Amino acid sequence: MEIICPIDAQFSDLIATLLKPPPPHEVQKYFEELLVTRQCDSLKVKPIARYGKGVYAESDFKEEDLVLKDQMLAGAQHTSNKVDCLVCSYCFCFIGSIEFQIGRKLYLEQLGVSSNNECHMEKDCDNSDSSVGEDDSDVEDQQVSGECSSSPSKDKISLPKDVVESLFHGEMKLPYSEKFSLPPIVSCPGGCKENYYCSKSCAEADWESFHSLLCTGEGSKSLSTKALQKFIEHANDTNDIFLLAAKVISFTILRHKKLKEGRHEGKGKQVISESIDFSLLGQAWKPVSMGYKRRWWDCIALPDDVDASDEASFRMQIKELALTSLQLLKTAIFDEECKPLFSLEIYGNIIGMFELNNLDLVVESPVEDYFLYIDDLPLSEKGEAEQTTKAILDALGDDYSICCQGTAFFPLQSCMNHSCRPNAKAFKREEDRDGQATIIALQPIAKGEEITISYIDEDLPFEERQALLADYGFRCGCSKCLEEA
């Protein structure tokens, strides 16, 4: 059965224009300006006939040199990971304190919430301790999705409830934790209990760029917080990639509003128009237009448990799932002047952009660093510290080292082409403690040389590599593949 979205039919020409790859000169100009903004004069993005674009070195790099730190266009922490890690919703650094991170995780576990995304619970208690942060009074009320479980993991030893609560409320201080200080917790400006920040500047930046339309608090700019909550619940129950797509649409709508305000400055009071300004919408969409896209239901890899004969049915189900998500989002944040953004074609291509271009969002946990520090202390100091920390580590079990995990789209990293013999890789150094993408040279890279990364495990056999890369829409012809073909 054919799936029809009325907006696709109504704005087919404009949608095709928005999804058409920008001409090479526009691409080069956009990335030149972006590189200047990022103060990165050692790289250049150039058009390539076969691949569209690529990233080239403008200076020499030595092995292990930092090639790029790339700020994401949009990203999100995986819903299930929010049980284990509380991070800034804008820059994704850990927040609160070592004690709070541990106490919160164990507290949620004692309530029966684990990391699997199957059950939704709201916490209802009062955290008023100012040592965690000025605006953290509602952080215990954060809505967390997880699987309900009746008992803790067999390899863990539960802590007494009063110890967990004293960690959570900042009443208990762990030895040497001052060496791992974290930013205080800042609440969402709109009053929701889902997003928290490391600073007011991050809170304001997220609000202006994304969150004002996606906030479920009293200050939300959405049409309906109830409808928005239904959209979020659907994404949590099915695929949290929909939350990323919503962020891109919100980002574009808010950019459109700012561009319109800028155009009307000095011209008196704005007149609200229901007509669509195609050029203004195109400008607002420009950062998103630079990402390589295909429709999600066309590019998603066929799961191992789906037979090839059922592929058409599987892809239709994925398309239907996307339509359901889009309808829920449309009810929550629809904007008449940005109506084409709510077409299924646009929505599917946004999701496909994350499917094809995403780099895992990973931020290492300071809790892991803390316990490693304790383990490396001189024996006498270690023994004294472990009188307090050992029981806590036993309660955490293997989960003590879980990092922040999510998905993001990085504009410059996404321009880097694949090679099974790459000269660079994504790698977080000790000092990289936020959600930015970090690219490191694997070998010396000469000025003028293309910088490549591997989209897959390059150590796999030739045929397996080619099969995996087929999901990205190309067959690799790098030097390694030519040698092994």
Side-chain angles (χ1 to χ4, degrees):
M1 182 179 70
E2 186 180 359
I3 297 175
I4 299 173
C5 176
I7 295 176
D8 285 279
Q10 184 181 359
F11 296 101
S12 58
D13 290 344
L14 176 57
I15 291 166
T17 300
L18 290 174
L19 292 176
K20 185 179 179 181
H25 70 276
E26 282 189 20
V27 173
Q28 192 154 358
K29 181 182 178 184
Y30 174 83
F31 283 106
E32 283 175 357
E33 292 173 353
L34 186 63
L35 287 164
V36 169
T37 303
R38 304 278 173 87
Q39 297 181 327
C40 184
D41 56 3
S42 57
L43 299 175
K44 187 166 188 175
V45 177
K46 298 180 183 179
I48 304 177
R50 183 180 176 187
Y51 299 114
K53 52 187 176 290
V55 179
Y56 289 80
E58 286 287 284
S59 61
D60 294 337
F61 291 98
K62 299 190 295 292
E63 184 177 349
E64 297 186 356
D65 273 358
L66 174 66
V67 174
L68 170 69
K69 277 188 73 82
D70 194 11
Q71 186 176 338
M72 67 187 71
L73 175 67
Q77 182 183 10
H78 290 316
T79 303
S80 58
N81 185 245
K82 292 182 178 181
V83 174
D84 297 305
C85 309
L86 184 67
V87 299
C88 174
S89 297
Y90 187 70
C91 75
F92 300 95
C93 72
F94 279 74
I95 54 179
S97 67
I98 294 296
E99 291 86 355
F100 181 80
Q101 289 285 341
I102 295 170
R104 174 182 174 274
K105 177 178 172 58
L106 294 176
Y107 176 80
L108 293 175
E109 285 184 0
Q110 289 189 350
L111 286 177
V113 182
S114 66
S115 299
N116 295 321
N117 180 23
E118 293 183 10
C119 165
H120 309 286
M121 302 181 66
E122 286 192 22
K123 312 300 157 286
D124 186 22
C125 47
D126 176 41
N127 179 4
S128 57
D129 180 65
S130 61
S131 66
V132 177
E134 283 182 19
D135 302 314
D136 66 331
S137 59
D138 293 326
V139 78
E140 292 182 53
D141 297 323
Q142 184 185 31
Q143 294 179 4
V144 180
S145 298
E147 181 182 342
C148 288
S149 56
S150 58
S151 61
S153 173
K154 291 180 181 179
D155 60 346
K156 297 179 182 178
I157 301 172
S158 295
L159 277 180
K161 186 178 179 182
D162 62 327
V163 175
V164 171
E165 290 185 354
S166 65
L167 284 166
F168 197 2
H169 290 282
E171 295 162 358
M172 177 179 180
K173 185 167 177 60
L174 296 176
Y176 303 100
S177 65
E178 70 279 359
K179 296 183 179 294
F180 300 87
S181 61
L182 302 177
I185 297 167
V186 176
S187 296
C188 164
C192 78
K193 297 174 182 179
E194 295 167 355
N195 282 30
Y196 293 91
Y197 302 92
C198 67
S199 64
K200 289 185 178 179
S201 60
C202 271
E204 290 167 0
D206 195 35
W207 185 259
E208 292 173 3
S209 299
F210 308 100
H211 191 57
S212 56
L213 287 177
L214 301 175
C215 177
T216 56
E218 292 183 358
S220 175
K221 304 296 183 184
S222 66
L223 299 176
S224 166
T225 54
K226 287 184 178 179
L228 186 57
Q229 192 60 52
K230 286 182 179 179
F231 164 78
I232 293 169
E233 288 172 1
H234 176 264
N236 288 339
D237 288 339
T238 55
N239 194 324
D240 61 9
I241 202 169
F242 295 137
L243 301 176
L244 280 166
K247 289 189 80 167
V248 170
I249 290 177
S250 175
F251 169 80
T252 309
I253 292 172
L254 292 170
R255 266 181 60 85
H256 180 271
K257 289 182 185 294
K258 287 178 186 175
L259 289 168
K260 185 178 179 182
E261 288 169 4
R263 179 177 287 185
H264 286 276
E265 276 183 10
K267 295 184 180 181
K269 187 176 179 180
Q270 284 192 48
V271 178
I272 303 300
S273 170
E274 292 190 355
S275 63
I276 296 172
D277 185 325
F278 296 155
S279 65
L280 204 62
L281 184 57
Q283 279 183 265
W285 174 257
K286 182 177 280 188
V288 187
S289 74
M290 298 296 162
Y292 174 61
K293 301 176 194 68
R294 287 172 62 199
R295 292 180 298 194
W296 182 44
W297 45 88
D298 290 338
C299 68
I300 188 172
L302 194 67
D304 293 337
D305 60 351
V306 176
D307 191 86
S309 61
D310 296 324
E311 181 173 354
S313 174
F314 166 76
R315 297 197 182 281
M316 182 58 69
Q317 289 174 19
I318 292 296
K319 189 174 182 180
E320 289 170 353
L321 184 65
L323 179 61
T324 300
S325 173
L326 175 62
Q327 289 169 336
L328 291 169
L329 182 64
K330 182 173 178 286
T331 305
I333 67 167
F334 181 72
D335 187 303
E336 186 68 37
E337 294 183 24
C338 298
K339 194 172 182 178
L341 298 180
F342 294 90
S343 70
L344 185 57
E345 191 73 10
I346 291 284
Y347 198 60
N349 273 272
I350 291 172
I351 301 170
M353 180 180 75
F354 283 104
E355 190 78 25
L356 294 168
N357 296 279
N358 80 80
L359 188 67
D360 289 340
L361 192 167
V362 177
V363 183
E364 295 300 323
S365 170
V367 175
E368 179 183 18
D369 295 337
Y370 170 74
F371 283 111
L372 291 174
Y373 178 85
I374 296 296
D375 193 52
D376 286 340
L377 287 170
L379 283 178
S380 60
E381 295 173 30
K382 177 181 175 181
E384 185 177 348
E386 284 186 339
Q387 291 179 21
T388 303
T389 63
K390 187 178 184 306
I392 294 170
L393 186 57
D394 289 341
L396 290 169
D398 293 338
D399 293 346
Y400 84 96
S401 61
I402 291 179
C403 58
C404 169
Q405 299 169 2
T407 299
F409 175 78
F410 299 92
L412 290 168
Q413 175 269 334
S414 72
C415 296
M416 291 183 175
N417 289 312
H418 166 83
S419 172
C420 298
R421 191 173 277 153
N423 56 18
K425 69 174 180 178
F427 179 78
K428 286 295 183 88
R429 304 164 300 170
E430 182 66 28
E431 61 266 37
D432 299 318
R433 294 292 175 170
D434 59 20
Q436 294 186 75
T438 308
I439 307 297
I440 304 293
L442 283 171
Q443 62 193 48
I445 302 173
K447 181 179 179 180
E449 187 178 348
E450 183 179 8
I451 296 168
T452 58
I453 58 176
S454 180
Y455 299 173
I456 59 168
D457 180 357
E458 64 269 26
D459 293 326
L460 290 170
F462 171 75
E463 293 297 341
E464 288 186 39
R465 297 201 310 271
Q466 294 295 348
L468 288 171
L469 292 168
D471 293 330
Y472 290 88
F474 68 91
R475 184 172 179 82
C476 184
C478 72
S479 60
K480 182 175 180 177
C481 287
L482 292 175
E483 290 169 10
E484 297 178 6

